Amino acid sequence: MSPLSPALFPALAEAQADPDGPGSHRPALRFGDRSVTYGELAATASPLAARVAEAGRIAVWATPTLETAVAVVAALLAGVPAVPLNPKSGESELGHIVSDSAPTLVLAAPGTQLPPALAALERVDIDVDVAVDINVRGRGTASPDPGTLETPALIVYTSGTTGPPKGAVIPRRAIATTLDALADAWQWTGDDVLVHGLPLFHVHGLILGILGPLRRGGSVRHLGRFETAGVARELSEGATMLFGVPTMYHRIAETLPDDPALAKALARARLLVSGSAALPVHDHERIAQATGRRVIERYGMTETLMNTSVRADGEPRAGTVGVPLPGVELRLTEEDGTTAVEAYDGETVGEIQVRGPNLFTEYLNRPEATAAAFTEDGWFRTGDMAVRDPDGYVRIVGRKATDLIKSGGYKIGAGEIENALLEHPGVREAAVTGEPDADLGERIVAWIVPADPQSPPTVEELADHVASRLAPHKRPRVVHHLDALPRNDMGKIMKRALTHD
Ligand code: MCA
Ligand code: AMP
């Protein structure tokens, strides 16, 4: 059995042990005008951890608020796996996640109205504001046992090509490993102040964007929602790092010509980091030209956490995701999925496979899917296709599955949307593809054979239908009506034939 997990957040442990010590007064989290120091975080999260310590798994209603950050920290202190829920999830998606992960209780901010899918769960309010009196609260609360490094910390739902999303079980070991590897690559310390406006139910915003600063003993300022004005304000008031998805950097690039204050603020940042999808070279160049600063990219996945990054002390080359992080083994394989590509020639394409302590444990309740995701000798098949430059820089050139769409940095399975569309009475047949979009990277396109060709469902109707069943970011942005879907002799839909002139 592996040993008990050391503290994931040493600065928090110090504040717990010595509430009057200087470390206790250091800022930890800020959301708008609400903030907590490490001492206040300890005072708030410790009693909550004690309260949930006996739970099996806990769901967290992951609004972009202080409450979500406190709830996840409490779950980690208690060694109880947390399932962050997208508060905009529709009924069918939420129903699936709740029945699959079977949480025993849900943590939510006081006053939040929860949907019917969560009605059967015991609700515990995340009471942050009463904790400011740290002399009373939390003091002397016994810390529950956080478990071992292999104890599941988070279960994060991620879409595949078919079927509903799968829950990736992420152990404490993977979180600690990936955050320390990024600290090495980015020279990330407790002096850094991060700003971002990412959602808190995925790896990027939650693990990198909240748990990352806390592991370093630094702080994060969350914008509530992404806005270039908020980025400019925080970077000009002491924030040192910015994390975002390419859509956010695209919006920054669009705004820069008319916003000298934004350019000045970005120029001051120590590190601008993009991830979750490829940042187009055009946006890289526009930002570099306006600010003199280069955005660096890192590459990861829900199942693997972070695999590669351009290093803070390395050459920031646009269009690449840098080099493998410390501790991560990375190889490219030929089409058979097992023969390694040896070339470092910037030309030979192979599938990226990774191995290392940054990886997830399994897909919850899906042993076959877990087995299929790994080779016999333990390499995880990412499905991303790449080449390697002579100096080891990795360039992602595409992905194996055409049925996976990356829109706004969210991974979306075409099959999931097709199933939802087929539940609409106005739809007889449906196929979903992604097409290039300057803002979102890719936009979702639905190809529909209407049940009644005389009155086909409108794009708004279908978008609302998908948004209310799955999630708003999964809604189709474009709908084409067809008389029939193109099929091959086997009856399989030929998505490549779905083009619009
Ligand atoms: C629009 N809305 C609707 C509808 N239409 N709501 C219900 N029904 C409808 N029919 C709402 C949306 O919910 C949203 O609300 C608002 O209208 C605007 O919608 P949209 O245009 O879709 O959103 P956006 O504001 O343009 O979003 C762009 C974004 C977002 C901010 C970049 O896509 C985003 O936050 N992306 C981050 C994705 C991410 O974190 N990925 C990490 C996973 P409202 O304005 O209230 O929100 S990848 C990962 O973790 C790996 C490990 C990695 O490598 O990082
Ligand atoms: P997710 O499963 O939502 O965690 O998304 C993971 C996927 O995002 C990866 O398999 C890649 O396809 C993509 N991705 C993440 N970071 C980058 C990046 N910097 N450049 C290109 N693709 C990326």
Side-chain angles (χ1 to χ4, degrees), residues 276-342:
S276 301
L279 181 62
V281 171
H282 178 58
D283 288 331
H284 267 288
E285 296 306 336
R286 289 197 293 172
I287 293 171
Q289 212 165 29
T291 67
R293 301 304 310 274
R294 293 230 157 239
V295 177
I296 63 167
E297 284 193 73
R298 95 296 180 282
Y299 156 65
M301 230 177 141
T302 304
E303 293 88 334
T304 65
L305 305 189
M306 295 304 116
N307 297 313
T308 71
S309 183
V310 171
R311 296 181 58 89
D313 56 5
E315 185 201 334
R317 202 176 303 160
T320 89
V321 293
V323 295
L325 289 165
V328 178
E329 284 182 86
L330 182 146
R331 70 175 189 179
L332 301 185
T333 59
E334 291 178 11
E335 215 155 316
D336 63 7
T338 51
T339 310
V341 170
E342 301 298 342

Side-chain angles (χ1 to χ4, degrees), residues 145-170:
D145 170 1
T148 74
L149 279 170
E150 293 308 316
T151 301
L154 292 168
I155 299 169
V156 178
Y157 277 79
T158 180
S159 292
T161 46
T162 54
K166 299 188 285 284
V169 178
I170 300 172

Side-chain angles (χ1 to χ4, degrees), residues 211-356:
L211 306 185
L214 294 179
R215 182 152 174 89
R216 299 274 71 81
S219 69
V220 53
R221 300 182 194 164
H222 194 279
L223 298 171
R225 58 173 304 162
F226 174 80
E227 272 170 346
T228 55
V231 170
R233 184 187 63 242
E234 297 305 337
L235 287 176
S236 56
E237 291 176 9
T240 62
M241 296 168 89
L242 171 67
F243 291 176
V245 295
T247 301
M248 296 172 180
Y249 284 102
H250 175 77
R251 293 179 186 180
I252 286 173
E254 292 278 289
T255 309
L256 277 169
D258 304 315
D259 192 343
L262 178 62
K264 209 168 145 200
L266 288 167
R268 293 167 56 132
R270 189 180 76 74
L271 216 56
L272 307 173
V273 187
S274 174
S276 301
L279 181 62
V281 171
H282 178 58
D283 288 331
H284 267 288
E285 296 306 336
R286 289 197 293 172
I287 293 171
Q289 212 165 29
T291 67
R293 301 304 310 274
R294 293 230 157 239
V295 177
I296 63 167
E297 284 193 73
R298 95 296 180 282
Y299 156 65
M301 230 177 141
T302 304
E303 293 88 334
T304 65
L305 305 189
M306 295 304 116
N307 297 313
T308 71
S309 183
V310 171
R311 296 181 58 89
D313 56 5
E315 185 201 334
R317 202 176 303 160
T320 89
V321 293
V323 295
L325 289 165
V328 178
E329 284 182 86
L330 182 146
R331 70 175 189 179
L332 301 185
T333 59
E334 291 178 11
E335 215 155 316
D336 63 7
T338 51
T339 310
V341 170
E342 301 298 342
Y344 283 79
D345 57 3
E347 276 178 24
T348 313
V349 178
E351 182 191 3
I352 300 177
Q353 296 189 348
V354 290
R355 218 160 50 171

Side-chain angles (χ1 to χ4, degrees), residues 41-314:
L41 180 58
T44 317
S46 305
L48 190 56
R51 169 74 181 79
V52 301
E54 300 307 317
R57 286 186 197 118
I58 58 183
V60 177
W61 191 244
T63 51
T65 59
L66 187 54
E67 278 77 7
T68 298
V70 169
V72 172
V73 168
L76 290 167
L77 290 178
V80 173
V83 187
L85 301 176
N86 175 357
K88 288 196 180 151
S89 279
E91 45 189 309
S92 136
E93 180 165 292
L94 207 52
H96 160 70
I97 293 175
V98 170
S99 70
D100 188 55
S101 60
T104 53
L105 55 84
V106 55
L107 293 178
T112 320
Q113 182 145 17
L114 297 178
L118 302 177
L121 300 182
E122 182 190 351
R123 174 186 178 138
V124 174
D125 277 347
I126 312 154
D127 219 344
V128 172
D129 291 327
V130 292
V132 268
D133 185 2
I134 62 168
N135 289 320
V136 186
R137 265 197 129 210
R139 214 167 244 230
T141 307
S143 281
D145 170 1
T148 74
L149 279 170
E150 293 308 316
T151 301
L154 292 168
I155 299 169
V156 178
Y157 277 79
T158 180
S159 292
T161 46
T162 54
K166 299 188 285 284
V169 178
I170 300 172
R172 300 169 76 84
R173 175 250 307 147
I175 294 177
T177 302
T178 218
L179 294 177
D180 293 350
L182 291 178
D184 178 83
W186 296 343
Q187 298 166 3
W188 188 0
T189 72
D191 291 331
D192 279 303
V193 178
L194 172 66
V195 55
H196 73 89
L198 291 155
L200 300 187
F201 46 85
H202 276 311
V203 165
H204 194 168
L206 182 60
I207 299 187
L208 271 58
I210 299 290
L211 306 185
L214 294 179
R215 182 152 174 89
R216 299 274 71 81
S219 69
V220 53
R221 300 182 194 164
H222 194 279
L223 298 171
R225 58 173 304 162
F226 174 80
E227 272 170 346
T228 55
V231 170
R233 184 187 63 242
E234 297 305 337
L235 287 176
S236 56
E237 291 176 9
T240 62
M241 296 168 89
L242 171 67
F243 291 176
V245 295
T247 301
M248 296 172 180
Y249 284 102
H250 175 77
R251 293 179 186 180
I252 286 173
E254 292 278 289
T255 309
L256 277 169
D258 304 315
D259 192 343
L262 178 62
K264 209 168 145 200
L266 288 167
R268 293 167 56 132
R270 189 180 76 74
L271 216 56
L272 307 173
V273 187
S274 174
S276 301
L279 181 62
V281 171
H282 178 58
D283 288 331
H284 267 288
E285 296 306 336
R286 289 197 293 172
I287 293 171
Q289 212 165 29
T291 67
R293 301 304 310 274
R294 293 230 157 239
V295 177
I296 63 167
E297 284 193 73
R298 95 296 180 282
Y299 156 65
M301 230 177 141
T302 304
E303 293 88 334
T304 65
L305 305 189
M306 295 304 116
N307 297 313
T308 71
S309 183
V310 171
R311 296 181 58 89
D313 56 5

